[in-house]
Amino acid sequence: MTGYVEVVGLRTWHEVSGEGDPLVLLHGGFVGASSFFAQVPALVEAGYRVHVPERRGHAHTPDVEGPVSYSVMADDMVAYLEQEVGAPAHLVGWSDGAVVALLVARRRPDLVARMVLIGQYYNSSGRVAGEELVAYLNSPEAITFLRRAYDPVSPDGPDHFPVVHAKMMHMIATEPEIPLDTLAGITAPTLVLQGDRDEVTVEHSLAVVAALPEARLAVLPGTHTLPLERPELVNPLIVTFLRGTDPAPDWDAFTG
């Protein structure tokens, strides 16, 4: 199923495929459902009903008047989960989507079964030193690249891109600033996943894992685009974690 649903007055594009336990993929900034093209088939094959909603001002979902923030997008996602899923779902958030997932789990732990958070810092202390993300996203090169995805599908039309870009850049420059000591109420088992050359430090991810009641860390070779770079590693790891079954060690391999 692909198309629009009305969620608390917001015309929201989503793509739903497969059968089984609900799994919601939360995309990164400036992109949409298509960014998970390397994950959706594998997750459907693993037996999940995969939802990929596009947030306000992203891809097919129209912008909404007023500023955008992680908090606002988390409210949108809570409403989507209540209306379109109706049961605790697994959340897999990548980049900005990981911030949204974390806020949803903090506000509404009853809506989240298990959670995978990919490649994201949750306050400015977690940014890799020297990372000039804001400068890059303001560059002509980045804007041209982002518009290739936005212009053909946005219902607001290509002329609206500068408005969305300005809103997103303000958010990225000033957020997130989530105190890690506010995460103790999150009950969902959580996998924090990042690349070894990601935009978040391993030390920060370790601190996130320590702040969550039930969390683990995985660091794989790759950058901020890890799910696209190494789906052969990322997808089985997600499925294994969401199933809650770590593979049993092959003791014969150690003992001969």
Side-chain angles (χ1 to χ4, degrees):
M1 177 176 63
T2 298
Y4 287 102
V5 288
E6 196 83 11
V7 182
V8 290
L10 175 61
R11 190 167 174 249
T12 300
W13 177 273
H14 72 158
E15 300 178 7
V16 184
S17 52
E19 298 291 337
D21 291 338
L23 191 168
V24 181
L25 300 177
L26 287 80
H27 60 76
F30 292 109
V31 297
S34 64
S35 62
F36 281 114
F37 74 88
Q39 278 66 57
V40 170
L43 296 173
V44 168
E45 184 178 353
Y48 293 100
R49 184 176 82 249
V50 180
H51 294 244
V52 197
E54 294 181 339
R55 297 189 298 277
R56 57 174 64 199
H58 288 74
H60 301 79
T61 297
D63 189 22
V64 177
E65 187 174 351
V68 65
S69 68
Y70 291 114
S71 180
V72 165
M73 292 191 292
D75 286 342
D76 292 343
M77 186 52 54
V78 166
Y80 178 85
L81 291 170
E82 289 179 329
Q83 176 179 310
E84 297 299 320
V85 179
H90 300 309
L91 302 185
V92 177
W94 176 14
S95 192
D96 280 0
V99 181
V100 175
L102 190 75
L103 291 175
V104 169
R106 190 175 69 172
R107 294 176 186 181
R108 290 293 303 276
D110 58 302
L111 294 176
V112 184
R114 284 178 170 255
M115 184 163 58
V116 180
L117 307 174
I118 305 174
Q120 181 60 42
Y121 53 85
Y122 301 95
N123 57 56
S124 52
S125 70
R127 291 183 182 180
V128 171
E131 279 291 314
E132 299 296 338
L133 178 62
V134 172
Y136 169 72
L137 291 174
N138 274 319
S139 69
E141 174 190 6
I143 290 172
T144 298
F145 175 77
L146 296 173
R147 294 199 71 145
R148 287 197 201 112
Y150 180 90
D151 289 2
V153 300
S154 172
D156 297 319
D159 290 344
H160 193 71
F161 178 80
V163 176
V164 170
H165 184 263
K167 290 182 182 184
M168 289 291 295
M169 292 313 301
H170 180 267
M171 183 187 77
I172 292 169
T174 58
E175 301 182 33
E177 290 294 348
I178 302 171
L180 299 188
D181 61 6
T182 66
L183 306 182
I186 294 176
T187 57
T190 300
L191 175 65
V192 178
L193 172 61
Q194 69 164 93
D196 60 353
R197 291 175 290 123
D198 217 314
E199 294 172 1
V200 54
T201 66
V202 173
E203 291 77 11
H204 181 75
S205 291
L206 283 167
V208 172
V209 168
L212 290 165
E214 191 175 347
R216 305 176 71 173
L217 173 65
V219 180
L220 298 178
T223 69
H224 193 57
T225 58
L226 181 65
L228 297 179
E229 295 171 28
R230 303 303 302 269
E232 77 282 4
L233 297 178
V234 170
N235 296 347
L237 185 58
I238 291 173
V239 170
T240 298
F241 181 77
L242 294 183
R243 286 177 175 166
T245 54
D246 290 332
D250 182 1
W251 296 114
D252 290 340
F254 291 100
T255 62

